[in-house]
Amino acid sequence: MSKDQILTADDVMEQAGKYLSSDDTAFIRRAYEYAHSAHEGQFRKSGEAYIIHPVQVASILVHLELDPETVAGGFLHDVVEDTNVTIEKLETEFGHEVAMLVDGVTKLGKIKYKSKEAQQAANHRKMFVAMAKDIRVILIKLADRLHNMRTLKHLPPDKQRRISNETLEIFSPLAHRLGISTIKWELEDTALRYLNPQQYYRIVHLMKQKREEREFYIEDVMSEVQSQLKEVNIKAEMSGRPKHLYSIYRKMVLQNKQFNEIYDLLAVRIVVNSIKDCYAVLGIIHTCWKPMPGRFKDYIAMPKPNLYQSLHTTVIGPKGDPLEVQIRTHEMHQIAEFGIAAHWAYKEGKQLNNQKNSFEDKLTWFREILEWQNETHDAEEFMESLKVDLFSDMVYVFTPKGDVIELPSGSVPLDFAYRIHTEVGNHTIGAKINGKMEPLDYVLKTGDIVEVMTSKHSYGPSQDWIKLTQTSQAKNKIKQFFKKQRKDENVAKGRDLVEKEVKAADIDLKEVFTTENLKRVAEKFNFSNEEDMFAAVGYQGITAAQIATRLTEKIRKQNNEQHLEQTLEGIKTEKKPSPSYKKDSGVRVEGVDNLLVRLSKCCNPVPGDNITGYITKGRGVSVHRVDCPNVQTEEAKKRILQVDWENSVTQSKQYHVDLEISGYDRRGLLNEVLQAVNETKTNITAVNGKSDRNRMALIHITILIHNISHLRKIVDRIKQIKDVYTVTRMLQ
C-alpha cells in the first residue's frame, strides 16, 4: 500500500488474480470498465483523468485482499455521486450488494441544508447507518479518504486544513477502532503535514539526523535476541518498528516534551508461530535486559475491543536507553495491521466465516448506531454524540465475572448499567465500585470492577439521569422510558409548546394545524404520526421551534412575497419614507432618495467592495458584498436592487471588518498580531483566539477600517509575521 506507487487497472487485476478466481477477476474488471465509461471526460483538481482515483481506491482494497463486491464498490464508489448513473442501474448491472455498498458512501446531493457543516453531518450520518448494516461500507470510505489525503496537495490551503481536521476527528479514530493501523497511521501523518507543516518537517528532519544511529542500535538488539532464541529453538521474524510522526507530535504536545525527551522512538517487533512462544520470548527479553516497572501490557490475555493482541514491554536496553518490544503471532500481526479487513479477507473455508461472525459479535456498538439514528432527528447532534461514544478516549472496566466493558472516558455507573441491559439500567438503585458503595455520578476509571445494585420495586430512571450519563445509548434508553410512561402527557405538552411558537410568529393556528400539514411535517421528521411528533417535543427529543418552523414555512413564504411586492411597488412609485429614517451608510440606492439603508453584518462591506442591495422586511435595504452567500439564492435574487458607494465617502468614516488568522500556536503569536495591527494605526474592537490539539491557532479580530486599500495594507502586514499561515476576511 505504498503511498508513492500509482497502480494501473491492469496492476489491480494482477494483484486480484493472486487470491480471486478468474470469474471474480472478470467481475471486477467489468466494474472498472463501467466506471471508466461513466467518468469519461471528468478530471481531478490535479488535471489527471478522474478514473485514476477509483483505480487507486480499488488498489488499496485489493491490497487488503477483500471480496470482489467490495473491490467492485471501490471502482464504482463515485459514479452515482458524480455521473448520471443511478443506484437502480448499478443494481441491475452488478447486483444488490455492490449497489448497497456504493449507496452507503454516496453523499446526499439533492437536499438543501442550512450550512456546509449540517450537510457534512448528514453525509456522515448516512454513511454510519449504512456501515451498521454492512461494515464493508467503511472499508471503501477509508480507502477513498486515504487516496484523497495522498493527493491533497492539489487543493487550496483552506480545504487542505478542513479535510485534514475531519480526517483526524472522524476517519483516523474510526480506522483505530476497526484496528486498521496501516491506514490509521498514514491518515494521521498526512493530516499533520497540512495542519502543522512546520512541526511535521521539523520532526522528519530530527528523525533523519539520528536514523543511522538508531538502525545500528536496533540491529545489535535483534542480533542478541536471535542468538538467544536459537538456543531454545524458537523461530521468529524481527524488525525495527518505526515510530510514526503524528504519534511523536502528540507526545510532544500533550506531555510538553522536546524531541530528545521521547524515549520510545526505539522499538523492536518480534513475530513468532504460537502464543506459547510469545511468553517464552518475553521471558528471554526480561532475562537479557531489566524491565521497566509499570510498562508491561498483556493484550493477548486481555485483547483490545478492536481484537488487537500483542505483548508489550519496555526494558532498559544495551546502552541504558529505554527499548520497547512487541511480541505477537503471525495471525495477531495480520489483525494488528489490517484489523477488521483481515476478517473480511476473501479466503475459503468455514473457519474464516466463524471468525467473521465472532468479529461481528464484538462490534455490537455499530449496531447501536441504528438505534441512535431512530432517536436523534438532528444530524449534527447525531455526529456529536457519535464522536463521544466512538472517538473519545475510552475506559475499560470489569463486571463481577471478569468480562471487560468498554465505555467513553467520563462514564458513570449508569452508563455501565445500560450497556449491560436496558432493564438493568432502568431498575438501578446504586453501584459498588471495587466492592465499595459509590454514588451514581462516580466517574469510572480503567480497571474498576463495577457491580450494579437493582430493585424490582424501583420507580425507574430520573430525568436527572439524562444529564448524568455520558453515552448516547444510556441517554436514549432513559428518554425511551419516559416516552412510553408518559405519552399522553408528552403529547399534550408538546402540542402546547408548538402552539405557543406558532402564535409568537403571529400566525393563525387554524391555518397551520390542518391534517395535511401536520402529516407532511411528521413525515419530514421521520415520525409515523402527529402524536409521536408532539410526544417527541414533550420529552425533548426535538424542539418546538423546529416543528413550528416547518409547519409555518408556506405561510411565511406567502407573507414575505406579499411584502416584497408592496416594497417594490413603493420603490417604483418613489414613495419616500420620512427623512428621519435616513442612515449615513455611505451607500446610495439607484433612483431613490431617503430610503433606509444599512450595511449587512454578515459580510461587512467596505468602500471598494463590489456591493448589491437586498430588500428586507420592514428594514429598508440591506447592503451586501456581491460574493456574500446570503444573496446568492434564487429567492434572494428576486429582491436585489442596484446600489453604489457614495463619492463623498470620507476617510473619517470607519467600517467593521472581521479577520480570521491561522498559524502555528507559539508563545507571543497573538501579541505580534495585535502589535502589527496597531502599527497601521487601526482600531481593534474585538479579539478572541483558540488553539486545537494540533497546535493550530485561530485568531479572530474585528477592526475598523476606511476602505479596501486600508484593509489590504493591514492584511499584508499580518502575513509578514512568522508562523502565520493564512489571513482571511470572514463571513458571519
Side-chain angles (χ1 to χ4, degrees):
M1 205 189 295
S2 170
K3 65 178 82 174
D4 301 318
Q5 189 178 6
I6 304 296
L7 298 184
T8 64
D10 288 336
D11 293 330
V12 176
M13 301 308 158
E14 185 183 340
Q15 181 72 21
K18 294 176 181 177
Y19 73 96
L20 293 178
S21 68
S22 57
D23 288 346
D24 289 332
T25 307
F27 177 74
I28 65 169
R29 182 175 286 281
R30 190 159 61 85
Y32 160 70
E33 289 167 355
Y34 193 91
H36 189 279
S37 174
H39 289 298
E40 189 72 46
Q42 293 182 339
F43 297 90
R44 285 171 66 79
K45 295 285 185 185
S46 61
E48 298 171 315
Y50 193 90
I51 191 63
I52 286 177
H53 171 62
V55 170
Q56 302 317 303
V57 171
S59 76
I60 293 167
L61 298 171
V62 164
H63 181 81
L64 298 173
E65 297 194 357
L66 295 176
D67 60 288
E69 288 77 17
T70 309
V71 178
F75 277 125
L76 298 164
H77 76 278
D78 273 340
V79 295
V80 174
E81 189 175 321
D82 295 334
T83 74
N84 294 325
V85 176
T86 63
I87 290 294
E88 291 72 27
K89 282 184 185 176
L90 272 190
E91 186 160 358
T92 304
E93 288 286 334
F94 298 98
H96 174 72
E97 269 192 78
V98 172
M100 182 270 298
L101 293 174
V102 172
D103 186 40
V105 294
T106 300
K107 292 177 185 173
L108 301 163
K110 295 179 180 177
I111 305 171
K112 290 185 179 178
Y113 293 90
K114 62 184 179 182
S115 66
K116 284 184 180 178
E117 289 78 11
Q119 179 156 11
Q120 195 72 332
N123 287 330
H124 287 147
R125 177 183 189 162
K126 177 177 183 282
M127 178 187 72
F128 278 108
V129 172
M131 181 179 74
K133 295 174 184 173
D134 194 317
I135 211 75
R136 291 174 294 174
V137 168
I138 202 59
L139 298 179
I140 296 173
K141 189 63 188 177
L142 285 172
D144 171 56
R145 176 52 60 111
L146 181 59
H147 183 248
N148 281 335
M149 290 299 290
R150 288 174 180 175
T151 56
L152 211 54
K153 63 184 177 184
H154 301 293
L155 296 181
D158 59 326
K159 282 194 175 180
Q160 290 174 348
R161 287 193 301 276
R162 178 178 61 76
I163 292 169
S164 296
N165 258 323
E166 182 185 73
T167 297
L168 286 181
E169 282 187 358
I170 294 175
F171 293 102
S172 165
L174 191 56
H176 173 66
R177 289 299 300 268
L178 297 175
I180 314 174
S181 62
T182 52
I183 290 180
K184 171 187 183 286
W185 289 121
E186 189 178 336
L187 287 176
E188 289 180 340
D189 286 357
T190 313
L192 176 62
R193 177 181 166 190
Y194 292 102
L195 286 172
N196 201 332
Q198 191 175 25
Q199 284 291 75
Y200 173 87
Y201 288 111
R202 175 171 170 257
I203 293 169
V204 169
H205 175 68
L206 290 169
M207 288 189 76
K208 278 182 180 176
Q209 281 184 327
K210 294 193 174 183
R211 174 176 290 173
E212 201 171 303
E213 180 186 329
R214 286 199 307 273
E215 286 175 351
F216 282 132
Y217 181 78
I218 292 293
E219 281 176 16
D220 288 345
V221 169
M222 291 194 296
S223 176
E224 173 69 21
V225 174
Q226 197 68 265
S227 63
Q228 294 282 343
L229 294 181
K230 274 185 182 177
E231 291 181 16
V232 291
N233 201 27
I234 292 177
K235 292 182 180 178
E237 293 177 11
M238 280 184 281
S239 60
R241 183 183 66 83
K243 191 75 174 175
H244 294 277
L245 302 177
Y246 186 74
S247 175
I248 296 170
Y249 172 75
R250 290 272 291 163
K251 285 202 170 184
M252 290 170 69
V253 171
L254 296 178
Q255 299 176 18
N256 199 25
K257 288 185 175 180
Q258 294 299 314
F259 182 84
N260 55 10
E261 295 178 294
I262 298 174
Y263 297 115
D264 58 352
L265 294 172
L266 301 172
V268 173
R269 181 176 292 144
I270 304 173
V271 182
V272 294
N273 293 325
S274 67
I275 293 176
K276 181 181 72 174
D277 288 347
C278 288
Y279 289 100
V281 171
L282 178 69
I284 289 168
I285 296 293
H286 283 180
T287 304
C288 291
W289 300 288
K290 187 175 181 180
M292 290 180 68
R295 296 298 301 269
F296 169 64
K297 290 170 185 170
D298 188 344
Y299 293 119
I300 293 179
M302 295 281 294
K304 290 185 178 181
N306 60 14
L307 297 192
Y308 174 88
Q309 287 184 289
S310 193
L311 295 176
H312 289 196
T313 187
T314 303
V315 296
I316 304 298
K319 295 182 180 178
D321 292 327
L323 171 71
E324 186 181 308
V325 182
Q326 295 178 352
I327 310 162
R328 59 180 70 146
T329 66
H330 291 281
E331 185 184 358
M332 291 173 192
H333 182 62
Q334 190 76 0
I335 293 170
E337 293 292 295
F338 303 119
I340 189 173
H343 292 267
W344 269 102
Y346 190 72
K347 299 189 180 82
E348 309 245 338
K350 290 183 180 178
Q351 186 181 2
L352 183 79
N353 290 331
N354 291 335
Q355 284 181 343
K356 281 184 187 174
N357 293 335
S358 168
F359 198 85
E360 293 260 322
D361 289 343
K362 296 203 176 188
L363 286 173
T364 51
W365 47 276
F366 268 165
R367 306 294 168 253
E368 291 166 4
I369 292 174
L370 285 177
E371 287 186 35
W372 306 335
Q373 147 81 358
N374 293 331
E375 290 299 317
T376 308
H377 299 280
D378 181 78
E380 291 177 272
E381 181 189 338
F382 172 83
M383 283 308 301
E384 286 307 311
S385 66
L386 196 66
K387 286 177 187 177
V388 170
D389 280 2
L390 299 188
F391 308 140
S392 62
D393 293 333
M394 310 305 289
V395 294
Y396 303 94
V397 296
F398 295 90
T399 67
K401 292 182 179 179
D403 295 328
V404 181
I405 302 293
E406 179 190 37
L407 293 166
S409 181
S411 293
V412 298
L414 287 169
D415 292 299
F416 176 90
Y418 279 102
R419 181 61 59 88
I420 299 299
H421 196 278
T422 303
E423 288 305 307
V424 173
N426 287 342
H427 293 95
T428 296
I429 57 171
K432 283 185 179 180
I433 313 296
N434 304 321
K436 179 185 173 186
M437 287 296 295
E438 296 286 358
L440 291 178
D441 61 356
Y442 171 90
V443 178
L444 298 174
K445 299 185 292 293
T446 294
D448 282 344
I449 301 171
V450 185
E451 183 181 353
V452 177
M453 319 294 289
T454 61
S455 169
K456 291 181 181 178
H457 306 294
S458 165
Y459 289 106
S462 157
Q463 283 278 9
D464 294 337
W465 286 11
I466 296 174
K467 294 179 182 177
L468 202 61
T469 50
Q470 179 77 6
T471 61
S472 297
Q473 182 192 21
K475 291 180 189 293
N476 287 327
K477 295 296 183 187
I478 297 164
K479 287 178 183 176
Q480 282 177 13
F481 176 86
F482 290 112
K483 178 181 173 183
K484 290 175 184 174
Q485 292 290 312
R486 305 175 181 173
K487 184 167 182 181
D488 292 342
E489 182 185 327
N490 284 327
V491 169
K493 182 181 175 184
R495 181 182 284 271
D496 184 51
L497 289 170
V498 173
E499 285 180 358
K500 285 180 181 176
E501 289 286 340
V502 173
K503 287 176 182 175
D506 200 22
I507 296 173
D508 188 358
L509 288 176
K510 291 179 182 177
E511 291 184 71
V512 172
F513 277 64
T514 63
T515 304
E516 184 183 341
N517 198 26
L518 289 169
K519 184 181 178 184
R520 179 184 65 82
V521 175
E523 288 175 353
K524 193 83 175 175
F525 286 100
N526 298 321
F527 293 109
S528 55
N529 54 56
E530 62 181 82
E531 274 201 350
D532 287 351
M533 179 176 73
F534 287 129
V537 176
Y539 66 77
Q540 300 173 3
I542 193 169
T543 66
Q546 285 176 282
I547 301 297
T549 300
R550 285 290 185 188
L551 286 170
T552 60
E553 60 186 346
K554 288 185 179 178
I555 294 171
R556 285 185 288 106
K557 188 176 180 181
Q558 289 169 4
N559 292 344
N560 286 342
E561 285 174 355
Q562 288 173 5
H563 176 76
L564 175 60
E565 287 173 12
Q566 292 168 3
T567 307
L568 285 170
E569 188 62 34
I571 290 174
K572 285 175 184 174
T573 56
E574 296 190 18
K575 185 178 179 181
K576 301 174 183 178
S578 166
S580 61
Y581 287 79
K582 186 177 178 182
K583 187 173 180 179
D584 183 18
S585 61
V587 175
R588 59 185 172 81
V589 179
E590 191 69 24
V592 183
D593 294 327
N594 296 329
L595 190 65
L596 177 62
V597 177
R598 64 186 184 86
L599 299 178
S600 168
K601 290 184 179 178
C602 61
C603 56
N604 284 330
V606 299
D609 283 331
N610 292 326
I611 54 174
T612 190
Y614 175 81
I615 302 169
T616 61
K617 185 177 179 180
R619 293 184 295 170
V621 175
S622 175
V623 178
H624 295 256
R625 282 160 41 194
V626 292
D627 59 350
C628 178
N630 290 330
V631 291
Q632 301 298 322
T633 63
E634 290 302 317
E635 188 66 30
K637 287 175 182 176
K638 297 176 185 176
R639 304 185 179 202
I640 294 299
L641 283 175
Q642 186 178 343
V643 295
D644 295 296
W645 292 107
E646 293 272 16
N647 293 328
S648 59
V649 174
T650 64
Q651 286 288 318
S652 61
K653 184 157 182 61
Q654 294 184 316
Y655 299 84
H656 284 88
V657 169
D658 296 313
L659 294 179
E660 180 180 85
I661 300 142
S662 71
Y664 171 62
D665 180 26
R666 61 169 170 81
R667 185 174 294 179
L669 180 65
L670 178 59
N671 283 339
E672 287 183 34
V673 169
L674 298 179
Q675 187 177 346
V677 176
N678 284 329
E679 285 172 5
T680 63
K681 297 182 179 178
T682 303
N683 290 329
I684 301 172
T685 61
V687 179
N688 69 73
K690 63 180 180 179
S691 173
D692 64 18
R693 61 180 181 176
N694 299 306
R695 297 296 293 272
M696 273 292 290
L698 276 182
I699 301 168
H700 293 153
I701 63 171
T702 304
I703 55 177
L704 291 172
I705 66 161
H706 303 300
N707 51 42
I708 200 75
S709 300
H710 184 192
L711 177 60
R712 288 196 191 108
K713 181 181 174 184
I714 296 164
V715 170
D716 289 343
R717 177 64 188 87
I718 295 172
K719 282 183 176 179
Q720 293 171 13
I721 299 171
K722 182 188 173 187
D723 295 325
V724 166
Y725 300 150
T726 61
V727 183
T728 311
R729 190 170 169 187
M730 290 174 62
L731 294 172
Q732 291 182 352

